[in-house]
């Protein structure tokens, strides 16, 4: 679990799960609406990737909400599935190979 705080208030979070086979899954990523568009999400992704690399991961995958796909694409993630519903919300499976 990764959380980011500003003045003791949690403004971002995500869960990074080791799926084994050198693959990590990014889940439940969120940035408080008033803290979006200033690079916090990019910093969280960069931290998750660096952490995963330190654990010898070669790939990070996620189920990204449809509206967030553009953000993840800018970070180098690719769609690898058709659209599907998860908890009643449109998602796409996305992944990115990582290396040193």
């Amino acid at each position: 679990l990764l959380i980011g705080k500003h003045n003791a208030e949690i403004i971002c979070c995500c869960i990074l799960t080791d799926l084994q086979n050198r693959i990590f899954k990014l889940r439940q990523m969120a940035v408080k609406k008033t803290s979006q568009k200033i690079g916090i999400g990019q910093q969280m992704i960069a931290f998750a990737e660096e952490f995963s690399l330190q654990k010898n991961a070669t790939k990070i995958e996620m189920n990204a909400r449809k509206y967030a796909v553009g953000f993840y694409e800018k970070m180098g993630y690719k769609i690898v599935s058709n659209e599907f519903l998860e908890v009643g919300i449109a998602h796409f499976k996305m992944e990115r190979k990582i290396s040193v």
Side-chain angles (χ1 to χ4, degrees), residues 35-76:
S35 297
Q36 293 178 358
K37 308 283 188 208
I38 59 172
I40 291 171
Q42 292 172 337
Q43 291 176 11
M44 287 181 57
I45 294 288
F47 182 88
E49 290 175 355
E50 181 60 32
F51 179 85
S52 299
L53 281 171
Q54 290 176 12
K55 300 295 182 182
N56 296 315
T58 58
K59 182 169 65 172
I60 295 179
E61 64 180 44
M62 70 187 73
N63 293 343
R65 290 183 180 198
K66 185 176 183 177
Y67 71 81
V69 165
F71 166 77
Y72 292 115
E73 286 177 326
K74 289 178 188 172
M75 299 295 298

Side-chain angles (χ1 to χ4, degrees), residues 63-73 79 82-86 89-94:
N63 293 343
R65 290 183 180 198
K66 185 176 183 177
Y67 71 81
V69 165
F71 166 77
Y72 292 115
E73 286 177 326
I79 293 173
N82 292 323
E83 184 177 318
F84 62 93
L85 290 180
E86 186 171 76
I89 301 168
H91 283 72
F92 289 92
K93 182 176 180 180
M94 300 185 79

